[in-house]
Amino acid sequence: MLMPFFLHKNMHTNIEIEKGELVVTSDMDEEIYFITDKSDAYSKYAVYHSYFTDISNLNAVTLSNSGGKFKEMKVANYTTADNVDANIFYDDLKEVNFIFPGATPGSVGKLSYTEKLKDPHFMSPFYFVSYMPVLNSEFTINCPAGVRLNYQLFNNDSNFVSFTKEEKGKRVIYRWTAKNMQTPKRESESPAFAYYAPHVLITVNDFTVDGTTKKILPDVNGLCEWYKGFVKDINKGDDSLLRNTVDGIVKGVKTDEEKIKLIYYWVQDNINYIAFEDGLNGFIPREANDICKRRYGDCKDMSSILVRMLRLAGVKAYHTWIGTRRLPYKYSEIASPGIDNHMICIAEANGKRYVLDGTGKFTPLGFVTEFIQGKEGLLLKEDGTCEVYTIPVMAKEKSVESDTITVGFDANKQISGGIQTNFTGYYKIDDAYMYHYTLPEKREEKFQNYMKMGNNKCKISDLSFEGFNGQDSTIKIRAKFELPEYVKNIGSKIYLNPNLEKDRQFDNIDMSERHLPYEVGFKNIKKSTTIITLPEGYTLGYKPEDVSFKGKDESFEINYKTEGNQVVQNKTIVTDFLILSVDQMKDWNNMITEMNKAYKENLVLIKK
């Protein structure tokens, strides 16, 4: 279906020096061509602003094409509302909503407005692509020669974006342009938009006025100095409540490692995570003593209370800023607040560092929250300097789902039995969230559906749960199952597919139009042991051959053995990557293909 497109989508930023400070304003200019009568959905539009920006001179009109003549139709109503995100309790982002009137085929929607930036640290990124195709896109910065910029262009491997720098008298004009930018196709399990969409990040390095140079964000050290201002004045007042709490937690504890664990788990168990994004309060942690009283906080508050409690216990602890895996940047590329959207605490004991993220309620000590694996953090040390610290990626052996299934036959040669599933690592964390955030009266039904296997007639009963309380436990779920109409009884033979669970059966990646990498949440291993007791009077006539596949970052194996009147199938599937590039997907698909072939194999039992 043809969709509307941007005739142009431009942002022209002007920087001036007034009274010794930077004044940053941007003029936005967009034109949308409504090509078909299906354009109604695209005629609804929104302009966004927050604590850090003011917008003015908002003007939206439609040049309506009626009988070959254009008639200007102004937008009559603008409504301002909070931008609602289900994952954020409070966000100061606002949206101004309106509808382009008369968006008939051949009409043009024109939008312009001015955005004033309140703080030059928060220069906005500019994306050259959008949810509609863009014929022409231009981003310029016009500034005095005394203003020095840092900039980094991302995802321009195809050289769609051109750059020029022009000096005109005492001013410099930076210009990025792009033409005929298609809307990036969203593909299943692909990384976030910033990983593949062409865009530019900007920071102001410094500016010189009257012979004096003022630094803004020259480099990582400059970012550190700025961030340091957000935490330098916190936790200096009365924190007797917190001191008493810490004393009670670590009483009699001798090692720093044990202190770290007890304090971390206390915060996870007693302080509820609630996300706030409210102007500079979105960057400044609150007082740890207040967080202890209120029993809730956002990620910065979790960092604040963890750092303070650990220091009260005599343990080294550091505020650490970090970007989640939704942001692909490194500090070596550009030091910008745009590459950080999260805050954690890093503790240290006997030369070993521990990553503590209070937002990860069920994350055990020694683990890291899933969404910061492999990311760089900016750790504020005791001497006031910062260190770029890379968060580890958890090894596949840390996250294992292991099933043991026992299968027997009833008098009608239908199967039933028991299943025990053990979960460690991220599997355990995910299940803990599912368990604790499901209403108690709904848990039975939810986990019954979760444990079903074989076919949709599977009946799960006698569920029991173990290890759902406590960060260091292994979760165990036990149940009984009945699986009617699963085996085939033909004459004197019984055909049984031993693959009651067909893990990753549908995980083949469609390569016909795939352009983006494939992302998973965590490296993992899935294991299952299926023990089948033959019915009385039957012997094993056929069992499948053992099969295996080993790629660079993935593998599986299925093998069989007989023990008396039992057949035992052991299956292991390994996923050893977080992001799989397009050129690596062939191996993955080959593995899925071979595995699905193996899933079709049957045991054949013959009546004696």
Side-chain angles (χ1 to χ4, degrees):
M1 183 187 78
L2 290 174
M3 68 168 63
F5 56 86
F6 286 100
L7 294 169
H8 64 251
K9 190 174 189 295
N10 303 331
M11 177 177 176
H12 301 294
T13 298
N14 190 69
I15 301 177
E16 301 292 351
I17 303 174
E18 297 179 4
K19 297 180 181 180
E21 300 294 337
L22 292 184
V23 177
V24 183
T25 56
S26 297
D27 291 322
M28 311 294 183
D29 176 23
E30 300 175 2
E31 288 190 0
I32 301 171
Y33 185 71
F34 297 107
I35 193 169
T36 72
D37 57 1
K38 305 292 185 181
S39 298
D40 286 352
Y42 295 89
S43 65
K44 298 176 181 178
Y45 212 78
V47 172
Y48 299 90
H49 64 98
S50 69
Y51 168 88
F52 299 107
T53 56
D54 287 328
I55 61 171
S56 61
N57 305 320
L58 178 59
N59 183 45
V61 301
T62 304
L63 297 180
S64 180
N65 186 358
S66 178
K69 295 181 180 180
F70 284 95
K71 177 184 177 182
E72 184 175 284
M73 303 174 66
K74 292 186 176 182
V75 172
N77 296 307
Y78 299 91
T79 59
T80 300
D82 292 330
N83 180 254
V84 178
D85 186 327
N87 297 313
I88 299 176
F89 178 74
Y90 178 78
D91 186 348
D92 71 339
L93 186 64
K94 305 291 183 183
E95 56 183 52
V96 181
N97 297 290
F98 59 90
I99 298 174
F100 285 107
T104 54
S107 60
V108 176
K110 300 184 68 173
L111 169 67
S112 63
Y113 63 95
T114 299
E115 178 184 272
K116 184 175 181 180
L117 191 63
K118 295 180 181 179
D119 186 330
H121 291 90
F122 294 102
M123 297 286 285
S124 299
F126 183 82
Y127 282 81
F128 297 91
V129 293
S130 185
Y131 64 97
M132 294 185 290
V134 184
L135 287 189
N136 294 282
S137 185
E138 183 175 89
F139 174 46
T140 65
I141 299 180
N142 188 323
C143 63
V147 176
R148 293 198 304 159
L149 302 180
N150 304 313
Y151 48 88
Q152 183 69 45
L153 179 62
F154 295 91
N155 307 317
N156 192 40
D157 295 342
S158 300
N159 296 315
F160 285 115
V161 181
S162 299
F163 170 71
T164 61
K165 179 181 177 181
E166 179 183 7
E167 297 184 11
K168 280 192 173 184
K170 295 182 178 181
R171 299 190 71 83
V172 181
I173 301 173
Y174 302 81
R175 178 177 283 107
W176 292 264
T177 58
K179 295 181 180 297
N180 300 320
M181 302 297 286
Q182 295 300 310
T183 300
K185 183 181 178 182
R186 295 179 182 268
E187 297 175 355
S188 62
E189 312 305 324
S190 60
F193 193 61
Y195 278 80
Y196 54 87
H199 65 286
V200 62
L201 283 183
I202 304 288
T203 62
V204 178
N205 187 318
D206 56 39
F207 67 99
T208 302
V209 56
D210 298 331
T212 301
T213 298
K214 295 185 177 182
K215 294 181 179 181
I216 303 297
L217 288 174
D219 50 26
V220 174
N221 292 330
L223 184 63
C224 175
E225 284 297 313
W226 185 53
Y227 279 169
K228 187 165 61 176
F230 296 143
V231 298
K232 66 182 180 66
D233 295 324
I234 64 169
N235 300 330
K236 292 185 176 180
D238 174 39
D239 55 6
S240 54
L241 171 63
L242 204 62
R243 288 177 182 273
N244 292 334
T245 302
V246 171
D247 289 345
I249 294 171
V250 301
K251 184 178 180 180
V253 177
K254 295 181 179 180
T255 68
D256 284 351
E257 290 89 344
E258 189 65 17
K259 290 177 182 178
I260 292 170
K261 175 183 280 193
L262 290 173
I263 289 173
Y264 185 36
Y265 289 0
W266 184 91
V267 169
Q268 289 177 323
D269 293 341
N270 292 278
I271 308 298
N272 292 312
Y273 169 63
I274 300 177
F276 290 90
E277 294 185 13
D278 184 14
L280 274 177
N281 290 326
F283 290 82
I284 301 173
R286 294 167 182 83
E287 295 289 326
N289 205 61
D290 292 341
I291 300 162
C292 186
K293 289 179 184 176
R294 297 169 183 166
R295 290 293 199 264
Y296 67 84
D298 62 12
C299 66
K300 301 173 304 302
D301 301 334
M302 296 294 191
S303 173
S304 174
I305 193 170
L306 281 166
V307 169
R308 184 58 179 159
M309 291 179 76
L310 288 165
R311 289 177 178 175
L312 286 173
V315 177
K316 292 181 179 180
Y318 313 106
H319 294 288
T320 304
W321 293 266
I322 193 169
T324 65
R325 286 170 58 190
R326 291 189 58 80
L327 302 174
Y329 315 112
K330 294 181 179 293
Y331 293 106
S332 58
E333 295 169 326
I334 187 167
S336 162
I339 73 177
D340 294 322
N341 61 352
H342 193 49
M343 197 169 182
I344 60 174
C345 165
I346 291 180
E348 189 172 325
N350 296 322
K352 183 177 179 180
R353 284 179 172 170
Y354 298 87
V355 178
L356 312 180
D357 185 347
T359 71
K361 196 170 184 67
F362 305 107
T363 304
L365 187 68
F367 237 66
V368 304
T369 39
E370 178 182 320
F371 52 84
I372 61 171
Q373 291 183 89
K375 292 291 296 177
E376 290 182 346
L378 197 60
L379 181 153
L380 178 60
K381 296 191 290 187
E382 293 166 319
D383 63 2
T385 62
C386 283
E387 173 190 339
V388 176
Y389 179 75
T390 302
I391 305 300
V393 175
M394 295 292 99
K396 58 184 181 296
E397 292 83 5
K398 297 284 188 178
S399 298
V400 179
E401 177 183 332
S402 180
D403 300 333
T404 300
I405 305 167
T406 58
V407 179
F409 289 79
D410 63 17
N412 297 317
K413 305 299 184 294
Q414 298 299 311
I415 62 172
S416 61
I419 178 171
Q420 175 176 312
T421 302
N422 296 353
F423 300 94
T424 66
Y426 292 118
Y427 283 121
K428 175 258 173 83
I429 294 168
D430 288 348
D431 274 18
Y433 274 106
M434 184 166 68
Y435 179 86
H436 287 285
Y437 289 93
T438 299
L439 292 172
E441 61 269 23
K442 296 289 186 180
R443 281 179 189 155
E444 186 88 5
E445 178 184 357
K446 187 154 194 169
F447 278 90
Q448 281 180 347
N449 291 328
Y450 182 55
M451 299 291 285
K452 282 184 177 180
M453 56 187 177
N455 60 34
N456 58 9
K457 296 183 179 180
C458 180
K459 298 177 182 178
I460 299 293
S461 61
D462 295 348
L463 274 167
S464 67
F465 306 100
E466 179 183 327
F468 280 89
N469 296 309
Q471 289 85 338
D472 294 316
S473 60
T474 294
I475 283 181
K476 298 180 180 180
I477 305 176
R478 298 180 180 88
K480 292 181 180 179
F481 72 90
E482 295 178 18
L483 200 52
E485 300 181 33
Y486 181 77
V487 301
K488 294 180 179 178
N489 293 280
I490 302 176
S492 62
K493 296 179 179 179
I494 296 175
Y495 295 84
L496 167 64
N497 187 321
N499 299 287
L500 302 183
E501 295 179 311
K502 297 180 176 65
D503 292 311
R504 305 213 178 281
Q505 179 183 15
F506 302 110
D507 285 358
N508 185 76
I509 303 170
D510 183 358
M511 296 290 293
S512 60
E513 296 183 357
R514 187 82 189 193
H515 301 288
L516 301 178
Y518 181 85
E519 184 177 34
V520 298
F522 51 92
K523 298 180 178 183
N524 63 81
I525 299 175
K526 298 174 79 72
K527 293 183 176 182
S528 69
T529 296
T530 304
I531 304 168
I532 301 164
T533 300
L534 275 58
E536 188 175 350
Y538 281 77
T539 187
L540 179 63
Y542 171 81
K543 66 177 176 64
E545 295 290 330
D546 296 346
V547 61
S548 65
F549 178 96
K550 185 168 180 58
K552 180 176 179 293
D553 297 309
E554 62 284 303
S555 65
F556 89 94
E557 60 178 340
I558 300 176
N559 58 66
Y560 296 85
K561 61 181 179 179
T562 56
E563 297 177 351
N565 69 334
Q566 292 182 331
V567 179
V568 180
Q569 182 206 62
N570 288 296
K571 178 169 57 183
T572 303
I573 306 171
V574 174
T575 302
D576 198 16
F577 63 85
L578 292 183
I579 294 182
L580 194 68
S581 64
V582 174
D583 60 0
Q584 293 175 301
M585 292 178 188
K586 184 177 180 181
D587 264 2
W588 175 263
N589 281 346
N590 287 341
M591 182 185 79
I592 302 300
T593 298
E594 292 303 311
M595 201 155 50
N596 280 330
K597 288 180 183 177
Y599 285 162
K600 294 177 181 178
E601 291 279 2
N602 286 284
L603 297 173
V604 181
L605 313 182
I606 301 174
K607 194 170 185 179
K608 295 179 182 178

CSV table of all heavy atoms in Angstrom, one decimal, residues 12-17 123 139-151 163-176 202 206:
chain,number,residue,atom,x,y,z
A,12,HIS,N,16.9,23.0,11.6
A,12,HIS,CA,18.0,24.0,11.5
A,12,HIS,C,18.2,24.6,12.9
A,12,HIS,O,17.4,25.4,13.4
A,12,HIS,CB,17.6,25.1,10.5
A,12,HIS,CG,17.3,24.6,9.1
A,12,HIS,ND1,18.3,24.0,8.3
A,12,HIS,CD2,16.1,24.5,8.4
A,12,HIS,CE1,17.7,23.6,7.2
A,12,HIS,NE2,16.4,23.9,7.2
A,13,THR,N,19.4,24.3,13.4
A,13,THR,CA,19.7,24.7,14.8
A,13,THR,C,20.7,25.9,14.7
A,13,THR,O,21.6,25.9,14.0
A,13,THR,CB,20.4,23.6,15.5
A,13,THR,OG1,19.5,22.5,15.7
A,13,THR,CG2,20.8,24.0,16.9
A,14,ASN,N,20.3,26.9,15.5
A,14,ASN,CA,21.1,28.1,15.6
A,14,ASN,C,21.7,28.3,17.0
A,14,ASN,O,20.9,28.2,18.0
A,14,ASN,CB,20.3,29.3,15.2
A,14,ASN,CG,21.1,30.6,15.1
A,14,ASN,OD1,21.9,30.7,14.1
A,14,ASN,ND2,21.0,31.5,16.0
A,15,ILE,N,23.0,28.5,17.2
A,15,ILE,CA,23.6,28.7,18.5
A,15,ILE,C,24.2,30.1,18.6
A,15,ILE,O,24.9,30.5,17.7
A,15,ILE,CB,24.7,27.6,18.7
A,15,ILE,CG1,24.1,26.2,18.6
A,15,ILE,CG2,25.4,27.9,20.1
A,15,ILE,CD1,25.2,25.1,18.8
A,16,GLU,N,23.8,30.8,19.6
A,16,GLU,CA,24.3,32.1,19.9
A,16,GLU,C,24.9,32.2,21.2
A,16,GLU,O,24.6,31.4,22.1
A,16,GLU,CB,23.2,33.2,19.7
A,16,GLU,CG,22.5,33.2,18.4
A,16,GLU,CD,23.4,33.7,17.3
A,16,GLU,OE1,24.5,34.2,17.6
A,16,GLU,OE2,23.0,33.7,16.1
A,17,ILE,N,25.8,33.2,21.4
A,17,ILE,CA,26.4,33.4,22.8
A,17,ILE,C,25.8,34.7,23.3
A,17,ILE,O,26.0,35.8,22.7
A,17,ILE,CB,27.9,33.5,22.7
A,17,ILE,CG1,28.5,32.2,22.1
A,17,ILE,CG2,28.5,33.8,24.1
A,17,ILE,CD1,30.0,32.3,21.9
A,123,MET,N,21.7,18.4,23.7
A,123,MET,CA,21.4,18.5,22.3
A,123,MET,C,20.7,17.2,21.8
A,123,MET,O,21.1,16.1,22.1
A,123,MET,CB,22.8,18.7,21.6
A,123,MET,CG,23.5,19.9,21.9
A,123,MET,SD,22.8,21.4,21.2
A,123,MET,CE,23.3,21.3,19.5
A,139,PHE,N,19.8,18.5,8.3
A,139,PHE,CA,20.1,19.0,9.6
A,139,PHE,C,21.3,19.9,9.6
A,139,PHE,O,22.3,19.6,9.1
A,139,PHE,CB,20.3,17.8,10.5
A,139,PHE,CG,20.8,18.1,11.9
A,139,PHE,CD1,20.1,19.1,12.7
A,139,PHE,CD2,21.9,17.5,12.5
A,139,PHE,CE1,20.5,19.4,13.9
A,139,PHE,CE2,22.3,17.8,13.8
A,139,PHE,CZ,21.6,18.8,14.5
A,140,THR,N,21.1,21.2,10.0
A,140,THR,CA,22.2,22.1,10.1
A,140,THR,C,22.3,22.7,11.5
A,140,THR,O,21.4,22.8,12.2
A,140,THR,CB,21.9,23.3,9.1
A,140,THR,OG1,20.8,24.0,9.5
A,140,THR,CG2,21.7,22.8,7.7
A,141,ILE,N,23.6,23.1,11.7
A,141,ILE,CA,23.9,23.8,12.9
A,141,ILE,C,24.7,25.0,12.5
A,141,ILE,O,25.8,24.9,11.9
A,141,ILE,CB,24.7,23.0,14.0
A,141,ILE,CG1,23.9,21.7,14.4
A,141,ILE,CG2,25.1,23.8,15.2
A,141,ILE,CD1,24.6,20.9,15.4
A,142,ASN,N,24.2,26.2,12.9
A,142,ASN,CA,24.9,27.5,12.5
A,142,ASN,C,25.3,28.1,13.8
A,142,ASN,O,24.5,28.4,14.7
A,142,ASN,CB,23.9,28.4,11.8
A,142,ASN,CG,24.5,29.6,11.3
A,142,ASN,OD1,25.4,30.2,11.9
A,142,ASN,ND2,24.1,30.1,10.1
A,143,CYS,N,26.6,28.2,14.0
A,143,CYS,CA,27.1,28.7,15.3
A,143,CYS,C,28.3,29.6,15.1
A,143,CYS,O,29.0,29.6,14.1
A,143,CYS,CB,27.5,27.5,16.2
A,143,CYS,SG,28.8,26.5,15.6
A,144,PRO,N,28.6,30.4,16.1
A,144,PRO,CA,29.9,31.2,16.1
A,144,PRO,C,31.1,30.3,16.0
A,144,PRO,O,31.1,29.2,16.4
A,144,PRO,CB,29.8,32.0,17.4
A,144,PRO,CG,28.4,32.0,17.8
A,144,PRO,CD,27.9,30.7,17.4
A,145,ALA,N,32.2,30.9,15.4
A,145,ALA,CA,33.4,30.1,15.2
A,145,ALA,C,34.0,29.8,16.6
A,145,ALA,O,34.7,28.8,16.7
A,145,ALA,CB,34.4,30.9,14.4
A,146,GLY,N,33.6,30.5,17.6
A,146,GLY,CA,34.1,30.2,18.9
A,146,GLY,C,33.4,29.1,19.6
A,146,GLY,O,33.8,28.7,20.8
A,147,VAL,N,32.4,28.5,19.0
A,147,VAL,CA,31.7,27.3,19.5
A,147,VAL,C,32.3,26.0,18.8
A,147,VAL,O,32.2,25.9,17.6
A,147,VAL,CB,30.2,27.4,19.3
A,147,VAL,CG1,29.5,26.1,19.8
A,147,VAL,CG2,29.7,28.6,20.1
A,148,ARG,N,32.8,25.1,19.6
A,148,ARG,CA,33.3,23.9,19.1
A,148,ARG,C,32.4,22.7,19.4
A,148,ARG,O,31.9,22.6,20.5
A,148,ARG,CB,34.7,23.6,19.6
A,148,ARG,CG,35.8,24.6,19.2
A,148,ARG,CD,37.2,24.0,19.4
A,148,ARG,NE,37.4,23.6,20.8
A,148,ARG,CZ,38.3,22.7,21.2
A,148,ARG,NH1,39.1,22.1,20.3
A,148,ARG,NH2,38.5,22.4,22.5
A,149,LEU,N,32.1,22.0,18.3
A,149,LEU,CA,31.2,20.9,18.5
A,149,LEU,C,31.9,19.5,18.4
A,149,LEU,O,32.9,19.4,17.7
A,149,LEU,CB,30.1,20.9,17.3
A,149,LEU,CG,29.2,22.2,17.2
A,149,LEU,CD1,28.3,22.0,16.1
A,149,LEU,CD2,28.5,22.5,18.5
A,150,ASN,N,31.3,18.5,19.0
A,150,ASN,CA,31.6,17.1,18.8
A,150,ASN,C,30.4,16.5,18.1
A,150,ASN,O,29.2,16.8,18.4
A,150,ASN,CB,31.8,16.4,20.1
A,150,ASN,CG,32.9,17.0,20.9
A,150,ASN,OD1,34.0,17.3,20.4
A,150,ASN,ND2,32.7,17.2,22.2
A,151,TYR,N,30.6,15.7,17.1
A,151,TYR,CA,29.5,15.0,16.4
A,151,TYR,C,29.9,13.7,16.0
A,151,TYR,O,31.1,13.4,15.7
A,151,TYR,CB,29.0,15.9,15.3
A,151,TYR,CG,30.1,16.4,14.4
A,151,TYR,CD1,30.5,15.7,13.3
A,151,TYR,CD2,30.7,17.7,14.6
A,151,TYR,CE1,31.5,16.2,12.4
A,151,TYR,CE2,31.7,18.2,13.8
A,151,TYR,CZ,32.1,17.4,12.7
A,151,TYR,OH,33.1,17.9,11.9
A,163,PHE,N,27.9,15.1,4.4
A,163,PHE,CA,28.2,16.1,5.4
A,163,PHE,C,29.1,17.2,4.8
A,163,PHE,O,30.0,16.9,4.1
A,163,PHE,CB,28.9,15.5,6.6
A,163,PHE,CG,29.5,16.5,7.6
A,163,PHE,CD1,28.7,17.2,8.4
A,163,PHE,CD2,30.9,16.6,7.6
A,163,PHE,CE1,29.3,18.2,9.3
A,163,PHE,CE2,31.5,17.5,8.5
A,163,PHE,CZ,30.6,18.3,9.3
A,164,THR,N,28.9,18.4,5.2
A,164,THR,CA,29.8,19.5,4.8
A,164,THR,C,29.9,20.5,6.0
A,164,THR,O,29.0,20.6,6.9
A,164,THR,CB,29.2,20.4,3.6
A,164,THR,OG1,27.9,20.9,4.0
A,164,THR,CG2,29.1,19.5,2.4
A,165,LYS,N,31.1,21.1,6.0
A,165,LYS,CA,31.3,22.1,7.1
A,165,LYS,C,31.8,23.4,6.3
A,165,LYS,O,32.8,23.3,5.6
A,165,LYS,CB,32.4,21.6,8.0
A,165,LYS,CG,32.8,22.6,9.1
A,165,LYS,CD,33.8,22.0,10.1
A,165,LYS,CE,34.3,23.0,11.1
A,165,LYS,NZ,35.4,22.4,12.0
A,166,GLU,N,31.1,24.5,6.6
A,166,GLU,CA,31.4,25.7,5.8
A,166,GLU,C,31.6,26.9,6.8
A,166,GLU,O,30.9,27.1,7.7
A,166,GLU,CB,30.2,26.0,4.9
A,166,GLU,CG,30.4,27.3,4.1
A,166,GLU,CD,29.1,27.6,3.3
A,166,GLU,OE1,28.1,26.9,3.4
A,166,GLU,OE2,29.2,28.6,2.5
A,167,GLU,N,32.7,27.6,6.6
A,167,GLU,CA,33.0,28.8,7.4
A,167,GLU,C,32.6,30.0,6.7
A,167,GLU,O,33.0,30.3,5.5
A,167,GLU,CB,34.5,28.8,7.8
A,167,GLU,CG,35.0,27.7,8.6
A,167,GLU,CD,36.4,27.8,9.0
A,167,GLU,OE1,37.0,28.9,8.8
A,167,GLU,OE2,37.0,26.8,9.5
A,168,LYS,N,31.7,30.8,7.3
A,168,LYS,CA,31.3,32.1,6.7
A,168,LYS,C,31.5,33.2,7.7
A,168,LYS,O,30.8,33.4,8.7
A,168,LYS,CB,29.8,32.0,6.4
A,168,LYS,CG,29.4,31.3,5.2
A,168,LYS,CD,27.9,31.5,4.8
A,168,LYS,CE,27.6,30.9,3.5
A,168,LYS,NZ,26.2,31.2,3.1
A,169,GLY,N,32.6,33.9,7.4
A,169,GLY,CA,33.0,35.0,8.3
A,169,GLY,C,33.3,34.5,9.7
A,169,GLY,O,34.2,33.6,9.9
A,170,LYS,N,32.6,34.9,10.7
A,170,LYS,CA,32.9,34.5,12.1
A,170,LYS,C,31.9,33.3,12.5
A,170,LYS,O,31.8,33.0,13.7
A,170,LYS,CB,32.7,35.7,13.1
A,170,LYS,CG,33.7,36.8,12.8
A,170,LYS,CD,33.5,37.9,13.9
A,170,LYS,CE,34.6,38.9,13.7
A,170,LYS,NZ,34.5,40.0,14.7
A,171,ARG,N,31.3,32.7,11.5
A,171,ARG,CA,30.4,31.6,11.8
A,171,ARG,C,30.7,30.4,11.1
A,171,ARG,O,31.4,30.4,10.0
A,171,ARG,CB,28.9,32.1,11.5
A,171,ARG,CG,28.5,33.3,12.4
A,171,ARG,CD,27.0,33.5,12.2
A,171,ARG,NE,26.2,32.5,12.9
A,171,ARG,CZ,25.9,32.5,14.2
A,171,ARG,NH1,26.4,33.5,15.0
A,171,ARG,NH2,25.1,31.6,14.7
A,172,VAL,N,30.2,29.3,11.6
A,172,VAL,CA,30.5,28.0,11.0
A,172,VAL,C,29.1,27.3,10.8
A,172,VAL,O,28.3,27.3,11.7
A,172,VAL,CB,31.4,27.1,11.8
A,172,VAL,CG1,31.6,25.7,11.1
A,172,VAL,CG2,32.7,27.8,12.1
A,173,ILE,N,28.9,26.7,9.6
A,173,ILE,CA,27.7,26.0,9.3
A,173,ILE,C,28.0,24.5,9.1
A,173,ILE,O,28.8,24.1,8.2
A,173,ILE,CB,26.9,26.5,8.1
A,173,ILE,CG1,26.6,28.0,8.3
A,173,ILE,CG2,25.7,25.7,7.8
A,173,ILE,CD1,26.1,28.7,7.1
A,174,TYR,N,27.5,23.6,9.9
A,174,TYR,CA,27.6,22.2,9.8
A,174,TYR,C,26.3,21.7,9.1
A,174,TYR,O,25.2,22.1,9.6
A,174,TYR,CB,27.7,21.5,11.1
A,174,TYR,CG,28.9,22.0,12.0
A,174,TYR,CD1,28.9,23.1,12.7
A,174,TYR,CD2,30.1,21.2,12.0
A,174,TYR,CE1,29.9,23.6,13.5
A,174,TYR,CE2,31.2,21.6,12.7
A,174,TYR,CZ,31.1,22.8,13.5
A,174,TYR,OH,32.2,23.2,14.2
A,175,ARG,N,26.4,20.9,8.1
A,175,ARG,CA,25.2,20.5,7.3
A,175,ARG,C,25.3,19.0,7.0
A,175,ARG,O,26.2,18.5,6.4
A,175,ARG,CB,25.1,21.3,6.1
A,175,ARG,CG,23.8,20.9,5.2
A,175,ARG,CD,23.7,21.8,4.0
A,175,ARG,NE,23.1,23.1,4.3
A,175,ARG,CZ,23.8,24.2,4.4
A,175,ARG,NH1,25.1,24.2,4.1
A,175,ARG,NH2,23.2,25.3,4.7
A,176,TRP,N,24.2,18.3,7.4
A,176,TRP,CA,24.0,16.9,7.0
A,176,TRP,C,22.8,16.8,6.2
A,176,TRP,O,21.7,17.3,6.5
A,176,TRP,CB,23.9,16.0,8.3
A,176,TRP,CG,25.1,15.9,9.1
A,176,TRP,CD1,26.0,14.9,9.1
A,176,TRP,CD2,25.5,16.8,10.2
A,176,TRP,NE1,27.0,15.1,10.1
A,176,TRP,CE2,26.7,16.3,10.8
A,176,TRP,CE3,24.9,18.0,10.7
A,176,TRP,CZ2,27.3,16.9,11.8
A,176,TRP,CZ3,25.6,18.6,11.7
A,176,TRP,CH2,26.8,18.0,12.3
A,202,ILE,N,25.1,15.0,18.7
A,202,ILE,CA,25.8,16.3,18.8
A,202,ILE,C,26.1,16.6,20.2
A,202,ILE,O,25.2,16.4,21.1
A,202,ILE,CB,25.1,17.4,18.1
A,202,ILE,CG1,24.7,17.1,16.7
A,202,ILE,CG2,25.9,18.7,18.3
A,202,ILE,CD1,25.9,17.2,15.7
A,206,ASP,N,33.1,23.1,23.7
A,206,ASP,CA,33.3,24.2,24.5
A,206,ASP,C,33.0,25.5,23.7
A,206,ASP,O,32.7,25.4,22.5
A,206,ASP,CB,34.7,24.3,25.1
A,206,ASP,CG,35.8,24.2,24.0
A,206,ASP,OD1,35.6,24.9,22.9
A,206,ASP,OD2,36.8,23.6,24.2
